[in-house]
Amino acid sequence: MENKELIKLAEKAMKNSYSPYSNFKVGVALLAGSGKVYLGANIENASYGASICAERVAAVKAISEGEKVFKAIAITCSKGTACYPCGICRQFLSEFGDLDIIVSEDGELVEVEKLSNLLPKNFSAKDLE
Ligand code: THU
C-alpha cells in the first residue's frame, strides 16, 4: 500500500467526520499488520470531553477486529495544513508499534515520520515490569 493511496483513503474518511462543534474535520487511514486498512474520522459530542479523535477511532476499529500491530497511518484535516496526531493519540498508537506517521497537506505528502520521533521516551508496558 503506497503512502499516496493511504492519503487518498484518509481524505475519503474525513467526509464522515462528525464535528459540528469545532468544524474541524480529521480523516485517517490506518494500515494494520494484516495489510487491511481501517478508516477513521473524528467524532464530537455535545459534552465536548466525550469527543474522540480520528486516529483513535481507526485504532479501536482495528484492534477490535483482531489486529495486533500498526504499520502506518495517513492523517488529513480540513484546515488544509499539515496535521500531526495529538498527544493522547501518539500515546494510544504507541501501544501497537512504531508506525509511520504520514503527514499530508491538501492531499499531497508532506513527510513521513516514525511515531517514536514524535513521542520519544513514551510510557509503555516496559515501565510496568
Ligand atoms: N482531532 C483529531 O481527530 N485528531 C487529532 O490528532 C487532533 C484533534 C479532532 C478532535 C476534535 O474533534 C477536532 O479535531 C478539534 O480538536
Side-chain angles (χ1 to χ4, degrees):
M1 174 73 57
E2 299 261 332
N3 292 343
K4 258 186 159 175
E5 284 175 79
L6 283 174
I7 292 170
K8 252 200 167 135
L9 288 169
E11 297 235 303
K12 182 180 153 204
M14 191 165 62
K15 296 196 176 110
N16 289 328
S17 164
Y18 176 74
S19 43
Y21 305 104
S22 70
N23 289 312
F24 185 83
K25 296 177 195 290
V26 184
V28 305
L30 174 70
L31 177 63
S34 71
K36 261 182 86 175
V37 176
Y38 297 83
L39 304 185
N42 56 327
I43 303 173
E44 296 183 349
N45 189 274
S47 77
Y48 288 28
S51 302
I52 179 166
C53 292
E55 292 89 334
R56 277 175 290 143
V57 168
V60 297
K61 280 170 75 176
I63 297 298
S64 62
E65 292 294 326
E67 300 290 351
K68 301 280 182 254
V69 293
F70 301 150
K71 289 180 171 168
I73 188 168
I75 306 171
T76 61
C77 65
S78 58
K79 203 173 149 216
T81 55
C83 279
Y84 290 80
C86 78
I88 293 175
C89 288
R90 291 178 198 201
Q91 176 62 34
F92 195 90
L93 292 170
S94 73
E95 184 81 17
F96 307 106
D98 189 14
L99 68 169
D100 287 334
I101 308 291
I102 303 163
V103 182
S104 66
E105 192 173 313
D106 282 332
E108 297 298 325
L109 179 69
V110 171
E111 67 166 334
V112 182
E113 187 68 90
K114 281 275 170 206
L115 177 61
S116 56
N117 289 331
L118 299 181
L119 187 69
K121 299 178 184 173
N122 67 304
F123 188 82
S124 73
K126 291 191 298 294
D127 295 295
L128 299 174
E129 280 166 11

